[in-house]
């Protein structure tokens, strides 16, 4: 999801301790999968790490998102969790989709999703991918450079293109703007080129950074998008799509602004856009994270140079990767001993495979104990590999009757 060194550099971009916006945090109760269901599932059968996910919670999140921002249609970012059963539920709830690759497109087409509801928001696409998606019926393609605008235009001259602009990612746990998004000067050049070529550059998008806990980012981004619309219209283009991207946060350990608070900021900003403008968003994490728990097990413990280590059977390469770059999960266990600092390694021999360092966890944790990671339905299984021969996590999907 991003170049890891730039993520590390941007890590300082966390919110200061006290902010005038503190009253925006935790204004609404957040959901989570019932912990007792998770514990029982682990006891019943355990062969390898697994994600357990309740699609009833996913449905609830879609509805809540739409209620908070009635003008904004969610297009789920497939990369967050590409499980077919999850995608199907999202389609049933009326979501469109956002893809990064044609493999993701094929997954959606196999489920019967109309290609016209799929937005291709990866700013770097091969000509083959653009042609394939275009032939299947995808209409909208993102660009953030003159090179990509040319690539899209030369491959599919009638493509509708939307311009990804750089916007602040301050206060996002997983900033993305170090990599993608046109700055003001580049944006002017892209708009001018589109007008000259006769390319249908018809919209603006941005991404405030994933797990964004700062509602100001949306306000600033909407203002920038508004200026871009004016610039495009002045150049003779017909801007008619506003795509406000993803980044909507879920509850882990740090407080978050609720979707209702973010919605308030977004709805206000949208007033500057005419009724004829189509508005979409690309939530990934928000729709699926808190529907699931990731469960793994302690392989063994060790003391090295006086430091307590435990190794789980899933680490960075097995799906628990976001904790290594600043996202703090709520980790639960079946032990009740006093917390002591533990450093947690994954099962692989790669020295980068460290999940957390000096994390307070119960002193009496032992080999074979289960570890339950709350709200881990996004960006876990999607990242997992079989590096070192460890199996991919299992994905257990069910729908509770609420
Ligand atoms: C990853 C991504 C998303 C989803 O981001 P979340 O933080 O999971 O909401 C949306 N749009 C684009 C272009 C992305 O790359």
């Amino acid at each position: 999801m991003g170049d890891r060194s730039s993520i590390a550099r941007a890590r300082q971009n966390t919110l200061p301790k006290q902010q005038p916006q503190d009253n925006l945090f935790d204004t609404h109760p957040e959901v989570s999968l019932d912990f007792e269901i998770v514990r029982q599932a682990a006891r019943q059968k355990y062969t390898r790490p697994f994600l357990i996910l309740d699609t009833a919670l996913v449905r609830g999140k879609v509805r809540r998102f739409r209620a908070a921002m009635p003008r904004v249609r969610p297009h789920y970012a497939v990369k967050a969790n590409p499980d077919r059963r999850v995608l199907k539920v999202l389609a049933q709830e009326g979501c469109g989709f956002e893809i990064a690759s044609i493999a993701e497109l094929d997954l959606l087409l196999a489920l019967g999703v109309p290609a016209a509801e799929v937005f291709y928001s990866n700013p770097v696409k091969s000509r083959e991918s653009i042609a394939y998606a275009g032939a299947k019926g995808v209409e909208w393609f993102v660009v953030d450079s003159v090179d990509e605008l040319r690539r899209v235009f030369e491959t599919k001259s009638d493509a509708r293109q939307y311009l990804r602009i750089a916007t602040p990612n301050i206060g996002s746990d997983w900033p993305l703007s170090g990599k993608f998004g046109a700055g003001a000067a580049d944006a002017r050049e892209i708009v001018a080129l589109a007008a000259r070529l006769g390319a249908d550059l018809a919209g603006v998008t941005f991404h405030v950074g994933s797990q964004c806990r700062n509602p100001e980012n949306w306000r600033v981004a909407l203002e920038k998008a508004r200026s871009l619309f004016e610039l495009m219209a002045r150049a003779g283009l017909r801007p008619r799509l506003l795509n406000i991207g993803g980044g909507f946060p879920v509850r882990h350990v740090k407080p978050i602004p609720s979707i209702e608070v973010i919605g308030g900021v977004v709805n206000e900003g949208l007033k500057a856009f005419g009724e004829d403008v189509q508005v979409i968003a690309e939530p990934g994490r928000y729709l699926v994270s808190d529907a699931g728990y990731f469960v793994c097990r302690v392989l063994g413990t060790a003391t090295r140079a006086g430091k307590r280590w435990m190794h789980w059977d899933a680490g960075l390469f097995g799906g628990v990767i976001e904790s290594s770059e600043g996202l703090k999960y709520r980790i639960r266990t079946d032990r009740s001993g006093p917390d002591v600092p533990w450093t947690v390694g994954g099962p692989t021999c790669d020295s980068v495979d460290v999940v957390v360092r000096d994390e307070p966890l119960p002193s009496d944790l032992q080999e074979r104990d289960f570890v339950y990671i709350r709200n881990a339905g996004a960006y876990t299984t999607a990242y997992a590999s079989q590096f070192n021969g460890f199996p991919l996590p299992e994905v257990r999907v069910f729908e509770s009757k609420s």
Side-chain angles (χ1 to χ4, degrees):
M1 193 156 77
D3 132 47
R4 307 192 68 79
S5 60
S6 81
I7 289 167
R9 274 196 306 279
R11 289 274 17 261
Q12 304 95 296
N13 287 346
T14 45
L15 279 178
K17 282 276 165 333
Q18 277 298 319
Q19 282 252 326
Q21 311 165 347
D22 274 0
N23 60 341
L24 300 180
F25 289 126
D26 290 327
T27 54
H28 291 65
E30 301 293 333
V31 294
S32 265
L33 175 54
D34 183 345
F35 185 42
E36 274 319 306
I37 292 177
V38 181
R39 281 174 112 161
Q40 270 174 28
R43 261 163 200 68
Q44 254 162 33
K45 182 181 77 138
Y46 187 89
T47 52
R48 62 185 203 270
F50 68 93
L51 175 72
I52 178 166
L53 188 142
D54 180 357
T55 50
L57 296 176
V58 175
R59 291 184 196 278
K61 293 300 290 279
V62 177
R63 290 170 195 175
R64 187 174 165 193
F65 186 96
R66 300 191 88 152
M69 284 170 264
R71 206 183 148 182
V72 183
R73 181 171 182 209
H75 281 244
Y76 173 67
V78 173
K79 72 172 189 283
N81 186 330
D83 187 277
R84 279 181 184 74
R85 296 158 290 184
V86 173
L87 297 175
K88 209 162 147 185
V89 162
L90 288 160
Q92 283 169 359
E93 289 297 318
C95 285
F97 294 89
E98 180 272 322
I99 56 163
S101 67
I102 56 171
E104 290 181 348
L105 173 61
D106 285 339
L107 198 53
L108 295 168
L109 296 176
L111 291 171
V113 172
E117 297 189 5
V118 179
F119 281 59
Y120 205 152
S121 288
N122 187 337
V124 185
K125 301 166 284 298
S126 69
R127 286 176 201 264
E128 291 77 13
S129 301
I130 297 163
Y132 181 87
K136 292 286 180 186
V138 174
E139 295 170 350
W140 288 96
F141 297 81
V142 81
V143 297
D144 75 343
S145 64
V146 293
D147 315 62
E148 187 73 4
L149 183 119
R150 276 188 196 283
R151 203 155 34 232
V152 172
F153 182 70
E154 287 168 10
T155 313
K156 182 174 163 59
S157 60
D158 64 343
R160 297 175 191 162
Q161 305 195 26
Y162 48 110
L163 174 55
R164 172 137 167 203
I165 55 171
T167 58
N169 278 204
I170 302 158
S172 300
D173 281 350
W174 201 280
L176 301 164
S177 66
K179 185 172 178 186
F180 294 127
D186 288 343
R188 275 194 298 276
E189 235 185 284
I190 295 164
V191 167
L193 178 64
R196 205 162 66 237
L197 292 174
D200 189 10
L201 185 62
V204 176
T205 189
F206 53 80
H207 198 301
V208 294
S210 203
Q211 183 70 3
C212 175
R213 295 181 299 105
N214 179 7
E216 270 299 283
N217 286 357
W218 279 278
R219 195 183 59 71
V220 174
L222 284 167
E223 275 170 16
K224 284 184 185 278
R226 179 67 221 147
S227 318
L228 246 292
F229 263 59
E230 275 156 27
L231 182 72
M232 290 164 116
R234 277 202 303 276
L237 301 170
R238 278 198 311 123
R240 55 195 186 277
L241 171 78
L242 174 64
N243 175 350
I244 67 171
F248 308 93
V250 298
R251 187 87 165 88
H252 290 292
V253 174
K254 297 174 192 167
I256 56 162
S258 67
I259 200 72
E260 289 77 13
V261 164
I262 294 167
V265 174
V266 168
N267 296 338
E268 189 57 37
L270 290 182
K271 287 180 184 162
F273 293 83
E275 282 302 314
D276 52 324
V277 174
Q278 177 187 355
V279 187
I280 71 162
E282 301 173 335
R285 185 188 301 284
Y286 177 80
L287 296 180
V288 295
S289 265
D290 37 22
Y293 262 83
F294 189 88
V295 182
C296 59
R297 211 149 67 161
V298 179
L299 278 181
T301 59
T303 301
R304 301 193 184 99
K307 222 178 180 42
R308 288 302 284 156
W309 281 79
M310 71 177 117
H311 291 266
W312 295 351
D313 54 356
L316 265 59
F317 301 101
V320 195
I321 187 169
E322 289 204 299
S323 60
S324 69
E325 294 283 2
L327 192 143
K328 229 172 169 20
Y329 286 118
R330 174 84 68 211
I331 298 166
R332 308 176 82 156
T333 69
D334 297 309
R335 299 282 174 189
S336 55
D339 282 353
V340 297
W342 285 95
T343 293
V344 177
T348 73
C349 290
D350 194 313
S351 59
V352 83
D353 194 4
V354 176
V355 176
V356 281
R357 290 183 189 273
D358 299 317
E359 175 79 10
L361 288 167
S363 58
D364 49 348
L365 272 164
Q366 291 166 26
E367 184 184 332
R368 301 181 74 78
D369 277 1
F370 288 117
V371 175
Y372 313 93
I373 304 176
R374 194 184 66 168
N375 295 356
Y379 303 120
T380 47
T381 49
Y383 271 128
S385 80
Q386 295 187 67
F387 180 55
N388 274 200
F390 293 99
L392 291 175
E394 181 188 350
V395 185
R396 305 186 192 174
V397 176
F398 71 103
E399 179 143 334
S400 66
K401 318 229 182 334
S402 54

